[in-house]
Amino acid sequence: MADELAIVGKSLTKPDAFAKVSGQTRFADDLALPRMLFGRILRSPHPHARIVGVDTSRARALPGVLAVLTGDDLPIKFGILPVSQDEEALAREKVRYVGDPVAAVAATDEWIADEALDLIEVEFTQLPPIMSIEQAIAADAEPIHGASNVHKAVALEFGDTDEAMRAAQHVREDVVFFEGNTHLPMEQHAALAQYGADGKLTLWTSSQTPHYVHRALGKVLELPMSRIRVIATPNGGGFGGKSDIFSHELVAARLAIVTGRPVKITLTREEVFYAHRGRHPVLMRVKTGLTRDGRITAMQFRSFLDGGGYGSYGVASTYYTGALQATTYAIPRYRFEALRVFTNKPPCGPKRGHGTPQPRFALETHFDKVAEELGLDPVELRLRNLPRPDSRTVNWLRITSCGLEACINKVVEGSGFLERRRSMPRGRGLGFAVSSYLSGAGTAIYWNDMPHSEVQLKLDRNGGVALLCGAIDIGQGSDHILAAIVAEVLGVALEDIQLTTADTDLTPIDLGSYSSRVTFMAGNAAKAAAEKVRAQLFEAVARALPCDVDDLVARDRRIVRRNRPEEGVSFTQAVQLVEAGGGVVTATGSYTPPKLAGPYKGSGVGPSPAYSFSAAVVEVDCDVSTGEVRVPEVWIAHDIGRAINPVLVEGQVEGSVYMALGEALMEEQTFRLGLHKFPSLLEYKSPTALEAPVMHTYLVETIDREGPFGAKEAGQGPLLPVIPAVANAVYNALGVRIDEIPITPDKVLKAMADRSKRVGPASTPAFEFPPLIKAEIPEEWKGK
Amino acid sequence: MPIADRVAVRLRVNGEEMAVMVAPYKTLLEVLREDLGLTGTKHGCELGECSTCGVLVDGRPYLSCLAMPLDLEGREITTVEGMAHGSDPDPLQVAFAELGAAQCGYCTPAMLLTARALLDRDPHPTRDAIKEALSGVLCRCTGYLKIFEAVELAASRGRRHG
Ligand code: FES
Ligand code: FES
């Protein structure tokens, strides 16, 4: 009884909910300071050009303009990854995509700032734009950075795949393409900078990664980090799109320093499309060898990523296209080759699922075809190749808990997949797919030995609990997770926890809201801190009662004896006992992931302390005359470890399904003559309330031994199986294979009319990958 | 623009008379947020494409980024700040909070007001009517389901008190 959970596992109202529904949440653009100026950024109209000269004299002369900046005012390069320091806040020599920042102004109002931009004269020499992977690697291609457009090339092998392919009884190879798309958070990015008379800089910004912004500001502005304070404001949606360091953040800071006045920059919606860092377009080739009864013996996977104009997270994205194949299937021999190239498009980066939705589409459609060839149903094929709990994959990823089989069973039973798929009328179909995802990246973005998450608690005689943590709530509910974990451990109510988050002056480090890491990592740090506080309270109460420390429990705002609950003190009295003994009650907790990387170069991307698993069945209803695909119903199961708040987890799952359907059916970021075709909310199609399907969400709990209360991630994994499940459902409905995302009506009609009954790429470009790095494989895979 | 060219605008917002001197080309969105301090109204495009800036004018959904304040003198404007009665939230606000219908919360003010207009017109709407009414307001977080459920929960709990 005493050990039952009071808060964890309950669908309670999250602490920030009422502020959000009353319009009281202050997003970055809601902030205003006295004497505030408005900043605007001039962006390149050319996809690829050399900057010959910038004349700002007319802009500077405009009344109301207080400062104009060009690249020379912020010459130090930066980038989110230490290996890709290739960006400038304002371009100095070259522009690399339409929208690349070139100059900036601060003025007393936005209209003057806009007028000033028109008065800045930039002389460009245009260069040939590189708009595709093929163009980027052509022998005579104009290099976008340095001497070649190859940003990253990877070639890894785990065991002899050629030999295993030769020995395989069945081999299949497929080539597919996934077009790029973008996050489209409803909130446009905004940053407000203030430079105080004390020489301290404060930046409020809608960022998922305030710690990394803090580091970049220190580097580019050449200020000690101790003189910079970064406060992340609640994000009006992020999905990975606010996890980089952006020009407007650095520019607002510099403008505030130059003018001595607060400066705010809010991106227009069009600029948000240029800020991007979204889904990479990826061309993929997957080849699998199997036994006749459908057991995988080897896989060879190749991906070609169209990276856009800068590095961003691209090196990590590149590895991610190959990392999670073996956490979803037991693959005994695996080869992975990948190439990321620079092109003259907005830089790509991490969008929900970071680098893994594309290979997931490739694998899950591929195995749908393999199953058919082998005469197996697609579910049975998956069941014959399940990853095992407490195992290592051939590429050294450590799996702890694994609920994939349970997820599969839930959606297959819930949807009646096996029976119904055989009897659907023409135009209607069911598709199935599975996936896995990380609960936080096991290695930090910059090399260090420090914790990934830290939490501090402070209590005093008033009985409240102050919780300080660098994590930022981007809508995923991280504030709730932290508060719920601490309240659970201390036996108090959710409303007793007072949160201060994402303020680098006040809160201990959390690396950020990316890679689905906050529940697992900051949650573990919060739990550790709360347990230390509880130990102090128990010790003081045990002395006062007196009783044995082990005999005490904390619940219902009291600390009482386990079997004699009438003997005890209130929580506040317990805090006062400790405070009387030693002053303010504090404790810190931290989380450092175990060292998980395998013994090979490139092993830093992919390891996670735990993986989530998902399975989905999607039903489609296709209009055979227009090619339109509608999705009336989705069944999705997710291995969450433990749902700390089921209603919030469901929200993450439903939001992931929604975003996946947008990507599967309509969202794409494409270009014509170097120009973004759809940089607006009207033309960039995304699903509305009318397209929302009926969703059946099943949460599978596997209670991970290292997760806080057993929890794993929910924010990204459930997106993954939905996209290929749509493609497989279209095949079930119409007998056509759309091997290219998004599945738009024109492609469906084309496939129906074509003899091949397929739309998709025919081949991958000829590219000489570097020699394979042949990695040692874990003992358990040797001889298999 | 020169301060001398500003014009006086009188608006009735959330039942209160308000007067400000603003540049005549400022939109209702800008005047609400920048001149009246009502930052509960958000924006996602300022071009009439997302409805994030939705308010109610005489009880009907209205895109504040396309509205000119001078045209709205004498009309009744409601923003999210005007939904609660004192510290008593509207049943829609309670339902959105309880069911997790506000994830990031950015689309929420416009969703709530649009749903309020629907319930005032049709106190027990069908799921299809809810979808139809909210279809102009984009949300990137929720997949809309919790929003539909919250509107239904609020409808089942009956009219606002106060
Ligand atoms: S801000 Fe998008 S419609 Fe008004
Ligand atoms: S809750 Fe984030 S956009 Fe709707």
Side-chain angles (χ1 to χ4, degrees):
Chain A
M1 170 69 192
D3 298 312
E4 244 172 53
L5 298 172
I7 290 175
V8 164
K10 304 251 171 7
S11 290
L12 301 173
T13 299
K14 61 182 183 176
D16 48 345
F18 277 96
K20 286 181 171 170
V21 298
S22 59
Q24 286 171 6
T25 300
R26 306 276 276 168
F27 296 92
D29 189 49
D30 299 339
L31 305 175
L33 290 171
R35 303 178 73 235
M36 185 174 85
L37 302 172
F38 295 85
R40 296 279 289 127
I41 292 175
L42 181 71
R43 292 171 185 271
S44 169
H46 305 300
H48 198 186
R50 216 171 286 291
I51 299 172
V52 180
V54 186
D55 182 355
T56 60
S57 54
R58 288 173 64 215
R60 284 177 202 278
L62 185 72
V65 171
L66 280 98
V68 182
L69 301 180
T70 64
D72 289 341
D73 296 300
L74 287 160
I76 297 175
K77 290 194 174 183
F78 63 92
I80 189 80
L81 300 186
V83 293
S84 304
Q85 303 286 301
D86 60 2
E87 293 189 60
E88 291 162 330
L90 299 167
R92 296 170 75 205
E93 279 148 23
K94 261 182 103 172
V95 286
R96 296 178 172 90
Y97 62 95
V98 171
D100 208 356
V102 176
V105 301
T108 48
D109 73 36
E110 278 177 286
W111 291 273
I112 296 173
D114 270 333
E115 205 179 324
L117 292 189
D118 290 341
L119 297 175
I120 298 174
E121 286 160 41
V122 187
E123 195 189 325
F124 293 103
T125 310
Q126 292 199 54
L127 298 167
I130 308 288
M131 299 308 292
S132 69
I133 295 163
E134 291 78 4
Q135 283 174 7
I137 56 176
D140 58 346
E142 175 76 27
I144 295 170
H145 292 268
S148 132
N149 289 320
V150 172
H151 174 221
K152 181 75 190 172
V154 176
L156 288 168
E157 187 167 56
F158 304 90
D160 189 338
T161 58
D162 281 333
E163 186 198 288
M165 277 304 169
R166 275 194 297 274
Q169 291 162 324
H170 188 87
V171 175
R172 184 180 166 96
E173 186 165 4
D174 281 291
V175 180
V176 302
F177 178 65
F178 196 120
E179 184 54 276
N181 57 51
T182 200
H183 320 81
L184 209 78
M186 291 318 299
E187 179 206 26
Q188 303 145 236
H189 309 46
L192 167 61
Q194 182 184 37
Y195 189 64
D198 56 1
K200 278 204 74 167
L201 175 77
T202 305
L203 185 81
W204 290 263
T205 180
S206 46
S207 173
Q208 299 176 236
T209 49
H211 174 60
Y212 297 142
V213 172
H214 195 196
R215 285 168 52 87
L217 283 171
K219 178 183 181 192
V220 176
L221 301 174
E222 298 180 280
L223 287 176
M225 281 170 75
S226 57
R227 271 176 56 200
I228 304 170
R229 177 180 188 183
V230 178
I231 301 172
T233 46
N235 287 200
F239 319 114
K242 294 170 181 165
S243 55
D244 213 323
I245 296 138
F246 289 96
S247 162
H248 69 276
E249 295 172 315
L250 299 158
V251 166
R254 173 62 84 206
L255 286 170
I257 293 171
V258 171
T259 60
R261 291 172 65 166
V263 177
K264 181 162 75 178
I265 301 181
T266 303
L267 301 190
T268 63
R269 177 54 61 181
E270 185 178 349
E271 287 179 291
V272 174
F273 280 93
Y274 301 144
H276 191 46
R277 322 285 153 157
R279 190 79 77 222
H280 284 76
V282 186
L283 180 62
M284 293 158 283
R285 174 184 290 271
V286 54
K287 182 174 173 186
T288 306
L290 303 98
T291 60
R292 205 167 294 116
D293 63 352
R295 279 169 228 283
I296 299 169
T297 55
M299 179 181 287
Q300 295 175 338
F301 188 87
R302 250 184 201 187
S303 53
F304 298 80
L305 294 83
D306 176 345
Y310 293 93
S312 181
Y313 280 84
V315 170
S317 318
T318 306
Y319 280 107
Y320 274 130
T321 63
L324 300 188
Q325 273 73 338
T327 54
T328 321
Y329 295 96
I331 301 174
R333 299 287 178 270
Y334 179 50
R335 177 190 294 174
F336 166 53
E337 292 164 306
L339 169 70
R340 183 182 194 261
V341 298
F342 289 119
T343 56
N344 293 120
K345 302 179 187 177
C348 298
K351 182 184 170 189
R352 206 170 201 168
H354 192 184
T356 76
Q358 302 97 325
R360 186 54 46 202
F361 169 66
L363 256 64
E364 299 304 308
T365 53
H366 173 71
F367 283 125
D368 209 54
K369 299 167 195 171
V370 168
E372 190 177 15
E373 285 175 347
L374 290 174
L376 287 173
D377 73 62
V379 175
E380 185 55 37
L381 181 68
R382 268 56 172 220
L383 292 175
R384 291 191 185 175
N385 293 284
L386 285 173
R388 282 173 301 111
D390 296 305
S391 65
R392 281 223 183 234
T393 66
V394 75
N395 57 338
W396 293 90
L397 303 182
R398 185 199 68 163
I399 295 174
T400 51
S401 56
C402 172
L404 183 55
E405 187 171 3
C407 289
I408 291 174
N409 291 335
K410 289 274 184 208
V411 295
V412 168
E413 280 162 28
S415 64
F417 176 77
L418 293 175
E419 315 77 55
R420 286 182 57 223
R421 66 192 278 268
R422 295 182 203 288
S423 56
M424 304 291 275
R426 180 161 166 81
R428 287 190 83 107
L430 289 173
F432 168 76
V434 298
S435 67
S436 57
Y437 199 66
L438 350 161
S439 300
T443 47
I445 274 176
Y446 62 99
W447 174 249
N448 72 84
D449 271 332
M450 293 174 280
H452 291 207
S453 282
E454 299 170 337
V455 166
Q456 184 179 12
L457 299 177
K458 178 181 77 68
L459 304 80
D460 62 24
R461 63 198 73 179
N462 300 317
V465 181
L467 189 168
L468 296 95
C469 178
I472 178 66
D473 201 306
I474 60 171
Q476 86 281 44
S478 62
D479 280 3
H480 179 88
I481 300 304
L482 295 173
I485 286 172
V486 170
E488 182 68 56
V489 172
L490 295 180
V492 298
L494 212 46
E495 56 267 28
D496 297 328
I497 313 295
Q498 318 307 334
L499 285 148
T500 302
T501 57
D503 178 335
T504 60
D505 260 11
L506 303 178
T507 57
I509 300 289
D510 173 80
L511 292 182
S513 288
Y514 67 95
S515 87
S516 271
R517 51 177 300 290
V518 180
T519 291
F520 202 97
M521 299 197 183
N524 267 324
K527 186 159 178 278
E531 282 165 356
K532 285 190 203 165
V533 165
R534 190 177 59 186
Q536 295 179 56
L537 300 178
F538 279 10
E539 205 178 299
V541 173
R543 217 175 306 121
L545 278 181
C547 74
D548 203 37
V549 173
D550 298 333
D551 193 25
L552 290 170
V553 290
R555 64 172 190 239
D556 304 329
R557 290 186 172 129
R558 286 177 59 75
I559 291 175
V560 296
R561 297 186 66 174
R562 191 180 298 269
N563 297 319
R564 275 187 259 169
E566 62 290 351
E567 280 180 44
V569 302
S570 75
F571 181 77
T572 306
Q573 285 168 329
V575 175
Q576 289 172 352
L577 286 172
V578 181
E579 193 181 351
V584 60
V585 186
T586 61
T588 59
S590 64
Y591 179 78
T592 310
K595 297 248 177 289
L596 293 167
Y600 62 94
K601 188 171 182 296
S603 64
V605 179
S608 173
Y611 296 89
S612 74
F613 296 87
S614 313
V617 169
V618 170
E619 182 163 347
V620 296
D621 182 359
C622 310
D623 184 325
V624 291
S625 57
T626 64
E628 197 195 342
V629 178
R630 289 192 326 106
V631 174
E633 209 159 342
V634 175
W635 295 261
I636 175 116
H638 182 66
D639 167 14
I640 176 66
R642 183 197 297 274
I644 290 185
N645 181 325
V647 84
L648 296 188
V649 175
E650 281 165 25
Q652 288 304 300
V653 175
E654 290 168 5
S656 293
V657 170
Y658 151 85
M659 197 160 272
L661 293 177
E663 295 193 37
L665 296 172
M666 59 189 90
E667 296 185 32
E668 56 183 326
Q669 170 131 316
T670 49
F671 298 80
R672 185 183 293 128
L673 303 174
L675 288 177
H676 194 302
K677 278 199 218 165
F678 321 111
S680 85
L681 284 174
L682 188 63
E683 296 156 291
Y684 181 93
K685 299 289 179 214
S686 63
T688 71
L690 290 175
E691 280 92 25
V694 174
M695 287 187 216
H696 309 273
T697 301
Y698 309 95
L699 303 184
V700 168
E701 297 202 322
T702 46
I703 317 297
D704 189 79
R705 64 171 184 264
E706 292 182 21
F709 293 99
K712 302 193 284 189
E713 74 90 33
Q716 308 193 66
L719 174 140
L720 300 167
V722 176
I723 298 168
V726 171
N728 293 340
V730 168
Y731 177 70
N732 185 229
L734 299 173
V736 297
R737 286 286 178 192
I738 313 300
D739 287 336
E740 193 179 301
I741 290 297
I743 301 171
T744 48
D746 55 310
K747 291 179 193 166
V748 173
L749 290 179
K750 194 162 162 240
M752 283 168 56
D754 197 86
R755 253 193 319 172
S756 70
K757 299 291 170 212
R758 170 182 188 262
V759 165
S763 62
T764 51
F767 175 77
E768 192 157 340
F769 282 91
L772 285 171
I773 296 177
K774 301 201 179 210
E776 175 83 6
I777 63 173
E779 210 50 53
E780 59 196 273
W781 287 106
K782 288 188 181 152
K784 290 238 171 125
Chain B
M1 74 171 290
I3 286 174
D5 294 343
R6 292 195 184 176
V7 295
V9 181
R10 288 178 51 185
L11 292 172
R12 211 179 143 72
V13 185
N14 301 328
E16 252 176 83
E17 290 290 339
M18 300 187 171
V20 278
M21 295 289 291
V22 298
Y25 46 73
K26 272 192 138 180
T27 63
L28 177 63
L29 172 72
E30 290 162 335
V31 171
L32 288 172
R33 289 176 51 83
E34 294 166 14
D35 298 286
L36 300 177
L38 295 169
T39 54
T41 304
K42 307 301 179 200
H43 52 79
C45 67
E46 299 177 66
L47 293 167
E49 297 166 350
C50 65
S51 302
T52 313
C53 63
V55 298
L56 301 182
V57 173
D58 296 334
R60 305 261 291 275
Y62 215 89
L63 299 184
S64 66
C65 75
L66 298 183
M68 301 315 285
L70 280 175
D71 297 340
L72 296 174
E73 290 196 330
R75 315 276 293 273
E76 183 67 50
I77 298 164
T78 309
T79 69
V80 69
E81 289 91 345
M83 282 190 84
H85 286 238
S87 43
D88 206 4
D90 186 286
L92 276 164
Q93 291 175 304
V94 176
F96 268 57
E98 286 177 359
L99 295 190
Q103 283 190 23
C104 79
Y106 199 78
C107 68
T108 308
M111 281 291 181
L112 285 165
L113 290 163
T114 311
R116 181 75 266 155
L118 169 68
L119 293 190
D120 285 348
R121 189 159 37 85
D122 177 0
H124 296 287
T126 60
R127 178 63 70 99
D128 281 344
I130 296 170
K131 283 184 162 189
E132 187 69 40
L134 300 180
S135 63
V137 192
L138 294 180
C139 172
R140 283 295 272 179
C141 297
T142 60
Y144 302 105
L145 287 194
K146 302 263 181 248
I147 293 174
F148 302 155
E149 288 162 15
V151 175
E152 285 161 355
L153 179 63
S156 75
R157 285 173 177 173
R159 286 203 54 83
R160 62 204 303 176
H161 22 147

